[in-house]
Amino acid sequence: MKHSDDYSIDTKCQILNRDLSDKWGAISFPIYQSATFAHNGLGGSTGYDYTRMQNPTRQQLESVLAKLENGIDALAYSSGMAAVANVMELFKPGDHIIIDEDLYGGSIRLFDAINKKNGLEFTAINLSSEDVLEHIRPNTKAVYLETPTNPMMNVTDIEKLAAVAHGKGLLVIVDNTFLSPYFQNPLDLGADIVIHSGTKFLGGHHDTIGGFVVVKDEKIDERLRLIYKTIGAGLAPFDSWLILRGIRTLSVRMDRAQENAIKLAEYLKKNRHVTRVIYPGLPEHPGYEIMKKQARGFGAMLTFEVDDSSFAKEILNNVELIYFAESLGGTETLITYPITQTHAEVPKALLEKNGITDRILRLSVGIEGIEDLIAEFDRVFEKAEKAVSGN
Ligand SMILES: *Cc1c(COP(=O)(O)O)cnc(C)c1O
């Protein structure tokens, strides 16, 4: 059999799942639902001792992620937030980290409510437009970002940022959840650490919570493995299996969801109540050219702004096919209201600066028939219009 590196990513998603050592020829990797593992006498560990540290199903998933992101190792966690929290344990009191100001709300809450208490310092800037050099201090250790950002879809040039950051000895940490490894590989662009919420596109079915950290440096890996086994936020065997299963269809799901997203973006642009459509796959998006350079696709996340907050609320009140729910990256289309959901706890001043108002809605586009999604929006817009005008 060819080496896995010689296959396309679509094929990798299939073959990496295999367990060539399985004596029964199982095509689906087994779920090793065992907390502990027996030793064949003193010094006779099978390589698996205790599931907090290692588990064969989870390890299979970790090796798949490491290969999809071109890292040397991946660590699977019980959630995306557990992954972010564990990465923050690499730092010590007094360390300073430059973060993008438009991040997943849970990450902002972690930095503000927990990491600051433990002595870490943060500066939030717009990494897509501001110069990171102006914010570097003697104690700055890392830059932390998402691209495109959540929910405002700002795009940062990872290669350019990594060159500047590495010139100052900083680590570059990229949360790659929005695009998944199918569309973007930050380690190849110079990032040192990649984070994923496995709950989203990797799992892909809104049925499990998980997270990943992928690294390319042995020392960082060693340190993270120590934190990992000590803190104990590893992903459970069954959830590891669910994400392994999700990854087998990653390529077709991402392609289809993106195709739908492009069509929906064009559709939404034509509605007179829609004042802005923010999708990095639209040529007028300021990050379009960078996306074309550093990613293989634009993803399926789309943010739009309507002319009135009551119109936004009526959209949420009237969706039927589309779910009004938090989260993203599954086969079903979800609509999210960042101001009361994902970003409810983000400081007001920051929301205002980023333009996250009560007129902003976020879509995670799924793989339904596009004609049905458009019919849904036709119906929802009509109802919202009636409700707002009082007829
Ligand atoms: C959802 C999400 C997270 C957190 O992941 P959980 O699995 O919900 O803990 C982190 N970053 C981004 C960009 C996300 O969308």
Side-chain angles (χ1 to χ4, degrees):
M1 202 170 152
K2 278 203 276 187
H3 190 268
S4 63
D5 289 349
D6 298 332
Y7 286 104
S8 68
I9 188 160
D10 309 67
T11 308
K12 276 187 196 171
C13 288
Q14 305 312 312
I15 62 158
L16 295 178
N17 266 313
R18 290 185 192 186
D19 177 8
L20 296 174
S21 68
D22 185 72
K23 64 178 173 177
W24 311 111
I27 285 174
S28 166
F29 196 91
I31 303 168
Y32 287 89
Q33 191 66 44
S34 186
T36 189
F37 299 85
H39 297 237
N40 292 317
L42 194 61
S45 166
T46 59
Y48 300 99
D49 303 312
Y50 189 60
T51 280
R52 172 156 34 79
M53 298 190 270
Q54 326 91 356
N55 175 280
T57 314
R58 187 170 67 213
Q59 200 164 303
Q60 178 73 8
L61 172 63
E62 291 177 334
S63 82
V64 170
L65 246 289
K67 292 203 177 94
L68 291 181
E69 281 290 15
N70 302 322
I72 60 159
D73 192 18
L75 300 90
Y77 296 88
S78 56
S79 71
M81 285 318 303
V84 184
N86 272 253
V87 166
M88 288 298 126
E89 292 300 324
L90 290 171
F91 303 101
K92 59 180 193 312
D95 284 352
H96 172 243
I97 300 168
I98 298 172
I99 58 171
D100 197 281
E101 61 187 11
D102 189 34
L103 292 177
Y104 177 70
S107 302
I108 297 175
R109 182 175 61 213
L110 171 75
F111 302 153
D112 272 354
I114 295 172
N115 294 146
K116 273 187 189 164
K117 159 181 78 68
N118 296 339
L120 299 191
E121 297 165 19
F122 295 90
T123 301
I125 66 170
N126 183 335
L127 285 165
S128 69
S129 61
E130 288 180 64
D131 184 359
V132 71
L133 279 174
E134 287 173 19
H135 300 273
I136 295 175
R137 305 177 193 164
N139 58 339
T140 305
K141 294 288 157 54
V143 186
Y144 184 103
L145 67 147
E146 296 169 16
T147 176
T149 62
N150 179 8
M152 298 313 279
M153 306 288 164
N154 300 326
V155 174
T156 296
D157 187 325
I158 298 173
E159 207 164 14
K160 227 162 138 185
L161 176 70
V164 174
H166 289 159
K168 296 286 177 185
L170 315 184
L171 286 177
V172 176
I173 305 166
V174 178
D175 179 338
N176 198 29
T177 301
F178 263 34
L179 288 182
S180 90
Y182 183 63
F183 283 141
Q184 182 169 270
N185 295 123
L187 296 181
D188 293 347
L189 300 164
D192 302 286
I193 298 175
V194 165
I195 294 174
H196 280 283
S197 167
T199 314
K200 315 295 168 55
F201 291 103
L202 289 164
H205 296 77
H206 300 307
D207 55 11
T208 185
I209 303 272
F212 298 96
V213 175
V214 193
V215 294
K216 63 181 186 189
D217 176 87
E218 306 239 346
K219 277 213 179 94
I220 296 175
D221 188 38
E222 215 172 279
R223 181 77 196 145
L224 278 172
R225 281 283 167 198
L226 174 78
I227 297 166
Y228 187 90
K229 72 175 181 188
T230 307
I231 291 183
L235 191 62
F238 180 64
D239 299 86
S240 298
W241 182 85
L242 277 174
I243 298 182
L244 271 174
R245 179 180 156 114
I247 289 173
R248 290 162 85 165
T249 54
L250 180 68
S251 61
V252 284
R253 285 187 287 106
M254 295 303 296
D255 283 341
R256 176 56 172 273
Q258 169 173 261
E259 197 184 308
N260 282 351
I262 292 169
K263 288 180 184 153
L264 267 186
E266 290 296 344
Y267 164 86
L268 289 168
K269 265 173 38 176
K270 288 185 233 141
N271 188 284
R272 66 189 177 88
H273 291 283
V274 176
T275 43
R276 201 151 54 118
V277 177
I278 314 172
Y279 178 65
L282 291 174
E284 62 265 35
H285 188 285
Y288 180 74
E289 291 301 328
I290 300 171
M291 286 293 286
K292 283 216 303 202
K293 183 179 70 136
Q294 72 182 9
R296 292 177 292 273
F298 303 104
M301 298 303 298
L302 181 166
T303 294
F304 65 104
E305 183 192 65
V306 292
D307 55 3
D308 194 272
S309 67
S310 55
F311 196 80
K313 282 168 197 147
E314 287 306 326
I315 291 175
L316 298 170
N317 286 339
N318 283 292
V319 285
E320 281 172 7
L321 175 65
I322 296 170
Y323 292 93
F324 170 26
E326 280 187 58
S327 199
L328 60 110
T331 51
E332 302 93 348
T333 300
L334 305 186
I335 192 162
T336 303
Y337 199 37
I339 197 114
T340 66
Q341 291 182 307
T342 53
H343 289 64
E345 289 169 56
V346 174
K348 248 205 163 75
L350 198 52
L351 290 175
E352 259 167 42
K353 184 162 180 238
N354 292 338
I356 305 171
T357 66
D358 55 6
R359 294 182 293 120
I360 289 282
L361 294 159
R362 190 190 78 182
L363 281 176
S364 167
V365 182
I367 65 169
E368 302 91 338
I370 185 65
E371 61 278 27
D372 297 319
L373 289 174
I374 286 177
E376 165 89 343
F377 269 110
D378 280 343
R379 187 187 57 73
V380 167
F381 280 137
E382 197 176 313
K383 282 207 153 182
E385 202 161 297
K386 272 194 188 141
V388 169
S389 66
N391 299 318

